[in-house]
Amino acid sequence: MDDPTPAMWRALLDFRARHGRYWKRALSLKWMNGSDEFEPFSASLRMVRNQLGPTWLYALRPASLDAAARRLTDLDSQPDNCRAEPVVSGEPCASDQ
């Protein structure tokens, strides 16, 4: 896996918003001492660690995280049945009409 899931991006964005400038260092320390389990979105943060790793985190650029935030905002603005995540509703997507 090379890219985080939307849930992973949300967890990273939330963590960055709450921990400020040195958020990567804070997350790395929490991963090392196991205190990430007390964080909101802890399962998604742990998935980032297990699937992508600390090296990926430190290589992550702010522009990439900002682009992910824009994609998530666009995704959230779509009707539920048009999201990239699998949803079975039977209703056509606005872009399909």
Side-chain angles (χ1 to χ4, degrees), residues 18-90:
R18 288 182 299 102
H19 291 276
R21 182 176 182 176
Y22 299 106
W23 70 275
K24 289 181 185 180
R25 182 182 307 159
L27 181 55
S28 182
L29 288 172
K30 286 183 179 288
W31 282 345
M32 284 191 282
N33 66 28
S35 63
D36 60 319
E37 75 176 281
F38 304 111
E39 289 291 323
F41 308 108
S42 61
S44 294
L45 290 173
R46 188 72 53 98
M47 284 175 51
V48 171
R49 184 198 70 188
N50 292 344
Q51 295 179 9
L52 302 170
T55 302
W56 177 89
L57 178 69
Y58 278 100
L60 179 63
R61 298 287 170 230
S64 298
L65 203 53
D66 294 339
R70 286 189 298 277
R71 285 192 308 272
L72 289 172
T73 300
D74 290 343
L75 181 65
D76 291 342
S77 69
Q78 295 292 320
D80 287 343
N81 63 333
C82 295
R83 295 186 183 180
E85 300 164 342
V87 176
V88 179
S89 69

